[in-house]
Amino acid sequence: MEILRTPAGIHDWRDSIRARSLKVGLVPTMGSLHAGHVSLLEAARRDCDRVVMSLFVNPTQFASGDDLATYPRDEARDFRIAADAGVDLVYCPAPEVIYPEGFSTTVRVSGLSELLEGREGSRGPTHFTGVTTVVAKLLNAIDPDRAYFGQKDAQQAAVIRRMVADLEYRQEIVVLPTVREPDGLAMSSRNVHLDPAERSLAAEIPAALEIVRAGAAGGDLPAAMAAARYRLAEAGIEPEYLEVRDAETLEPVEPDGSRPVLVAVAARIGSTRLIDNIVIKPEPQPNQTARSNR
Ligand code: AMP
């Protein structure tokens, strides 16, 4: 596995691959790898001839200096996990390589970046500007055929899809399901900050989402949302938000069963902020089933 830290190194590597028409997959990460990241790396390994993982704790997407300072980092461990997952190249630039003196360009997806996580009081609108700017740079530097993202960060995936469509990036964006712990908690690098009591309480978040999923399947999403809120309140968790949104636009919707909806939640457990979501897809209509059975 090769490790490169500068765009010049990446460009040379990419040029050598291009000459051989090999398909390149990119998995952007902030390191502190877990099974969620590994699922993306393994998918890239299956689909592509070469797998690049970027490892960059992007300062511009952090709302507070504290969260950035305490973000878990262990490069040596990440390199081992990446090598085991079959990564060919890790790109891990220093912040001053990505943002050299004089850097003054940002890529901002308006609208989508200001909802949910992007609201003032949550992570704020600058969070996604940090994400889209760095992802734009990675897509330009590495020029993969495909880039892989996790559904765990559903809004991030939606914002990146919008950027790629709007700016005519030609890379294919692949979004893969959330990988969970056995009790349902979505894997996250920040889970290491949870103490044992907080860790068991955190499982209430996916439990609440499961209540929504089950209730929606029974046909009453509003009642299911109320039951999920009750479950969180009983556990002493006050969510920052627990909302039903259009899965693509992330705008508030009155679900009528015709389009997929995203049920997204953010909550603090102690001082750790966790996010999670599920997508509820429309039930196939009887006539659609009949057609597909023919
Ligand atoms: P991060 O290192 O947290 O920036 O995440 C890097 C990529 O891994 C992003 O596309 C995330 O959405 C994805 N990811 C993080 N956690 C999970 C998870 N539990 N399951 C699937 N993908 C994940």
Side-chain angles (χ1 to χ4, degrees), residues 28-31 34 36-37 39-40 71 148-153 156 176-180 186-189:
T29 80
M30 298 206 298
H34 52 65
H37 300 109
S39 74
L40 305 183
Y71 198 80
Y148 294 79
F149 296 88
Q151 177 63 24
K152 156 81 174 25
D153 299 286
Q156 171 172 283
L176 294 174
T178 303
V179 176
R180 297 177 180 281
M187 293 205 178
S188 163
S189 304

Side-chain angles (χ1 to χ4, degrees), residues 116-117 121-123 188 190 194 240-241 266-275:
L116 297 172
E117 288 296 286
S122 289
R123 282 174 159 180
S188 163
R190 289 186 175 84
L194 300 167
E240 212 171 84
Y241 59 80
R268 264 183 202 282
I269 304 288
S271 58
T272 308
R273 190 171 179 281
L274 301 177
I275 59 170

Side-chain angles (χ1 to χ4, degrees), residues 89-104:
L89 170 64
V90 181
Y91 178 40
C92 45
E96 55 275 21
V97 168
I98 294 291
Y99 303 112
E101 212 178 307
F103 185 89
S104 17

Side-chain angles (χ1 to χ4, degrees), residues 52-167:
V52 182
M53 181 183 91
S54 59
L55 196 175
F56 180 61
V57 181
N58 179 28
T60 61
Q61 70 187 70
F62 283 79
S64 86
D66 277 3
D67 190 24
L68 175 62
T70 59
Y71 198 80
R73 297 165 206 239
D74 187 343
E75 211 179 69
R77 175 179 171 274
D78 289 339
F79 290 162
R80 281 197 301 277
I81 295 173
D84 286 349
V87 169
D88 297 293
L89 170 64
V90 181
Y91 178 40
C92 45
E96 55 275 21
V97 168
I98 294 291
Y99 303 112
E101 212 178 307
F103 185 89
S104 17
T105 304
T106 53
V107 178
R108 173 168 165 268
V109 174
S110 59
L112 272 178
S113 296
E114 287 126 41
L115 307 170
L116 297 172
E117 288 296 286
R119 284 184 291 215
E120 297 294 353
S122 289
R123 282 174 159 180
T126 56
H127 166 70
F128 287 112
T129 307
V131 171
T132 39
T133 301
V134 82
V135 171
K137 289 195 64 145
L138 293 171
L139 293 177
N140 286 334
I142 298 158
D143 189 21
D145 297 278
R146 288 183 173 183
Y148 294 79
F149 296 88
Q151 177 63 24
K152 156 81 174 25
D153 299 286
Q155 186 172 6
Q156 171 172 283
V159 168
I160 288 168
R161 280 194 194 284
R162 187 74 253 166
M163 175 190 84
V164 163
D166 288 354
L167 297 186

Side-chain angles (χ1 to χ4, degrees), residues 14-57:
R14 188 64 182 99
D15 289 346
S16 71
I17 297 294
R18 188 169 289 108
R20 293 154 64 194
S21 308
L22 297 173
K23 195 168 180 184
V24 174
L26 168 66
V27 180
T29 80
M30 298 206 298
S32 190
L33 300 182
H34 52 65
H37 300 109
V38 171
S39 74
L40 305 183
L41 296 172
E42 287 174 346
R45 182 70 282 162
R46 280 193 299 273
D47 298 349
C48 304
D49 302 305
R50 293 289 182 274
V51 177
V52 182
M53 181 183 91
S54 59
L55 196 175
F56 180 61
V57 181

